[in-house]
Amino acid sequence: MVQSHASGRLYGVGLGPGDPDLITVKSLKILQSAPVIAYFAKKGRKGHARTIAESFLPNGVIEIPLVYPLTVEIAFDDPEYVRALAEFYAKSADLIASHLQAGRDVALLCEGDPLFYGSFMHAYERLKDRFPVTICPGITGMSGCWTAAGMSMTWGDDVLAVVPGTLSRDDLGRRIGLADALVIMKLGSNFAKVRDVLIEAGLADRAVYVERGTMVDQVVMPLLQKSDDKVPYFSMILVSGQGRRP
């Protein structure tokens, strides 16, 4: 499926929320034929996307691990964080470009969907005007989580909001108040703040906490049954809509 070009083609390969069986046929074909794969990872980790793809990669594939210089060590709005990440994404794009310029296709692995809160977008925006690009959509993490929870998320005219837990308490309350159904992402150290805002909004008793949805160690429980504030990166809070039904 992956063809040769005067310059290589960049593939943004969506791998879904965690269960390797949820990789699309199109993404699988690219995984099995691309000469080079790239993936983002935290220091000392293989990376979630690389883990999902583990059993599908052919022998001899060239691997480009793109290791974040930092993740949660300092606040995301700290100028040093912004500078370090901008430099990192620029260097990552240059490294991928060196293979593309040599005529090698590169599959950049992405958990979830490449164009939904994905690190892929930082490389894509830097490379899309220089090289041919094909993007393979993937099942989003939120879709995997509400399926794991068996939740009917939106009915009739319900408005769904995807809300980052990194927002301020006031902004969280405002966004939550405008929606009928909610997906709250980027929890981590923001979990207690998000839970408190949902309690204040009278929505906590409808909220469901999902951790590592579709993965072998997934956890699904009513939000108010979670007894601690220890929350991994791959977790969400879901609130289903209560809208019009026939």
Side-chain angles (χ1 to χ4, degrees), residues 23-227:
I23 294 176
T24 66
V25 173
K26 185 172 184 178
S27 291
L28 179 59
K29 289 178 179 178
I30 293 170
L31 284 181
Q32 294 176 333
S33 57
V36 182
I37 64 163
Y39 49 91
F40 292 97
K42 189 176 180 179
K43 287 181 181 178
R45 305 282 182 86
K46 181 182 292 186
H48 186 53
R50 175 62 177 78
T51 300
I52 296 172
E54 180 77 37
S55 62
F56 304 114
L57 298 176
N59 293 329
V61 67
I62 299 170
E63 298 196 28
I64 310 174
L66 306 169
V67 181
Y68 295 109
L70 46 81
T71 48
V72 296
E73 292 83 355
I74 58 178
F76 71 91
D77 55 353
D78 186 300
E80 175 58 23
Y81 179 95
V82 175
R83 183 204 63 76
L85 266 292
E87 182 179 289
F88 164 69
Y89 285 125
K91 288 182 176 178
S92 297
D94 287 344
L95 184 55
I96 292 170
S98 69
H99 287 274
L100 297 174
Q101 287 166 341
R104 292 185 288 272
D105 295 330
V106 178
L108 180 49
L109 311 185
C110 318
E111 61 264 22
D113 183 87
L115 298 180
F116 186 70
Y117 289 111
S119 293
F120 167 78
M121 295 185 292
H122 295 281
Y124 172 60
E125 292 296 332
R126 288 170 168 83
L127 297 172
K128 64 184 176 68
D129 295 328
R130 299 168 55 195
F131 302 99
V133 180
T134 295
I135 301 174
C136 298
I139 297 172
T140 61
M142 62 181 182
S143 178
C145 284
W146 65 53
T147 300
M151 294 180 69
S152 301
M153 284 298 293
T154 48
W155 297 86
D157 303 318
D158 280 339
V159 174
L160 170 68
V162 180
V163 183
T166 49
L167 295 178
S168 69
R169 181 181 290 266
D170 288 345
D171 282 344
L172 276 171
R174 182 169 60 85
R175 298 286 185 176
I176 285 170
L178 292 173
D180 304 300
L182 297 165
V183 173
I184 306 179
M185 307 174 63
K186 302 186 180 183
L187 296 176
S189 61
N190 301 292
F191 174 75
K193 173 184 65 179
V194 172
R195 181 193 56 212
D196 291 348
V197 170
L198 288 171
I199 290 172
E200 292 168 6
L203 295 172
D205 59 342
R206 279 171 42 205
V208 174
Y209 170 78
V210 183
E211 180 177 303
R212 300 186 178 93
T214 80
M215 304 179 203
V216 293
D217 53 350
Q218 77 175 21
V219 175
V220 180
M221 66 174 69
L223 173 62
L224 295 178
Q225 288 185 14
K226 183 160 175 57
S227 59

